[in-house]
Structures are given as structure tokens and as C-alpha cells.
Amino acid sequence: MRVRNRPRPDEPRRVWLTFDDGPYPENTAMVLDALKMHGIHATFFVVGEMAHYHGKELLPRIHDEGHGIGNHSYDHPKLADLTEDQVRDQLSRTDELIARYHGESKLFRPPYGNYNKTVLKVARDLAYQPILWNVDPEDWNSDNQPDAWIPKALDLIRNQHESVVLLHDLVRTTAEHVNLFIRQIHKLGPVTFEEPTTLARTEASKDNRPDRPMISND
């Protein structure tokens, strides 16, 4: 999951912000406020169970403010441990909740980055494009809270031309520091925060570990 394309001095870094595990009322709203302040669009990979309980107001807001909404399974299992039917159920149940919002960009992120050929087959059958990441500051880890995850992320972004950043809007300390994080990214030099519609086109969203099944972004 580590794609390192060093930026040339004269070219801006390209950054895609992504948030997993929500939506969650106060936290997701706080993230949306920060993104709106900076005029940035992100992609939210939602858990179906969370969307069922908290999505009535948050999913329309995420969509209406120009952000992408992707599928992150129904209750966040390790999908590679499940049967094909179980994987299909996880994605299909979530799809029923988000179908009106994802438009033509059907994006899917396996929980924990855990997948196998069966998971890829089901995703393909449902017309979902798997999306991974190459910047993981582990904001969920208590050792990195409240804001120690920020320099970890910046160190990776600094050395890459294209960065897909994995964050979690379920985590309160992440939501509280998104504004600061974005300001710190700008201090690295020229940067463009890319649109969700281009997320599937970057090599940074693929898993490049040689022991993993190939993910195609075609």
C-alpha cells in the first residue's frame, strides 16, 4: 500500500482525503465543517450499520456538499474471512443505503485493507471499484491522539507526488484536528486537493504489495 512518487520541485502534490467508519453525528459534522471552510471535497467510506442509524441527515449533507460516498461494508468485518455470499451481503446491504448518493463513482474500501480474490470478484460483480491508500497515520491509535497522527501523515505526503490519506471520522480527535491538518499540508508547498471523482485513477489508491491480488483501476 505504499506508493512513493517523489514530487518534482515545480509540481504540486496531489492529495485525496478519505474518511472511514462513519457517519457519526458530531464527528462527521465537524469534519464537514472543516472541509467546507477550506473548499475541499473528500470521500467518505461509510459503514452500513452507521449509515442505518446516523445517515438520514448526514448522507444527504455529505452528498449535497460535493463529497464522495463509498461502501465500507455493513458492519466492518475482515471480508477475506467470509464466504462469497457473506461478502456480497456486506456490500449489498450497504449499497441499498448509499445507492442514491454515490452516482457513477461506485467506490469500495475493504475494512482493514483486508481482501482476497473472492472480495474483488464480488466488488466487480456489483460494479464497485476497490480503493486503498498510501498514507495511514493511524489516527485511530490512542498513541497518536490527539494530534500525533498529523506529523506522521505529513512525513508521507511530503515525499510523494500523489497521496491518498486514510482518516476516520468516527474518531473524535481526528474530527477536531482536520482543520489544523489541512493547514499543515498547505505549508509543505504547492498542493491540490483532488476531487473524489478522480480517486480511482491514481496509483496511490492501489495495493502494490506483491503478495496481494491485483487491483485494476481501469
Side-chain angles (χ1 to χ4, degrees):
M1 287 183 202
R2 298 291 179 258
V3 179
R4 291 295 188 104
N5 297 320
R6 285 189 172 273
R8 297 191 302 269
D10 60 339
E11 68 179 348
R13 294 170 177 84
R14 304 178 68 201
V15 175
W16 289 261
L17 296 183
T18 69
F19 295 88
D20 287 11
D21 294 357
Y24 193 77
E26 292 183 2
N27 298 353
T28 303
M30 195 180 308
V31 171
L32 290 169
D33 289 343
L35 294 171
K36 187 173 184 179
M37 182 189 310
H38 291 276
I40 294 170
H41 294 146
T43 303
F44 290 79
F45 288 94
V46 305
V47 172
E49 196 169 45
M50 301 297 287
H52 172 75
Y53 289 109
H54 308 299
K56 185 175 181 180
E57 294 183 0
L58 286 169
L59 290 181
R61 181 183 172 187
I62 293 170
H63 176 265
D64 291 346
E65 293 185 4
H67 305 289
I69 294 178
N71 192 322
H72 197 43
S73 80
Y74 191 80
D75 55 15
H76 210 273
K78 290 186 175 180
L79 295 175
D81 294 340
L82 304 183
T83 67
E84 180 173 340
D85 286 344
Q86 289 172 325
V87 173
R88 192 176 304 275
D89 181 68
Q90 286 283 328
L91 272 64
S92 296
R93 291 173 71 191
T94 303
D95 186 72
E96 291 175 2
L97 295 166
I98 68 173
R100 72 181 68 178
Y101 304 113
H102 58 51
E104 296 181 0
S105 298
K106 295 188 66 173
L107 305 179
F108 157 65
R109 174 170 282 165
Y112 313 104
N114 176 264
Y115 69 94
N116 55 17
K117 290 182 179 179
T118 298
V119 175
L120 295 184
K121 176 185 181 300
V122 172
R124 184 172 59 250
D125 289 347
L126 298 176
Y128 271 103
Q129 175 63 58
I131 299 293
L132 293 162
W133 60 86
N134 66 345
V135 174
D136 179 8
E138 296 188 353
D139 58 315
W140 51 267
N141 189 329
S142 60
D143 291 340
N144 296 327
Q145 296 171 359
D147 61 354
W149 58 270
I150 293 179
K152 291 177 179 290
L154 294 174
D155 284 345
L156 291 167
I157 296 170
R158 181 181 291 110
N159 293 310
Q160 300 181 147
H161 171 47
E162 297 186 345
S163 296
V164 174
V165 184
L166 168 64
L167 297 172
H168 299 81
D169 54 322
L170 187 65
V171 178
R172 179 73 176 190
T173 51
T174 297
E176 291 172 339
H177 289 85
V178 169
N179 180 36
L180 173 62
F181 179 46
I182 292 171
R183 296 204 311 267
Q184 293 298 316
I185 293 175
H186 279 295
K187 290 181 179 180
L188 296 177
V191 59
T192 61
F193 288 92
E194 301 292 335
E195 292 294 316
T197 53
T198 64
L199 183 55
R201 303 175 197 166
T202 174
E203 288 290 322
S205 69
K206 296 182 180 179
D207 187 342
N208 287 274
R209 293 173 294 180
D211 61 329
R212 306 300 291 163
M214 180 63 67
I215 292 178
S216 172
N217 284 10
D218 296 334

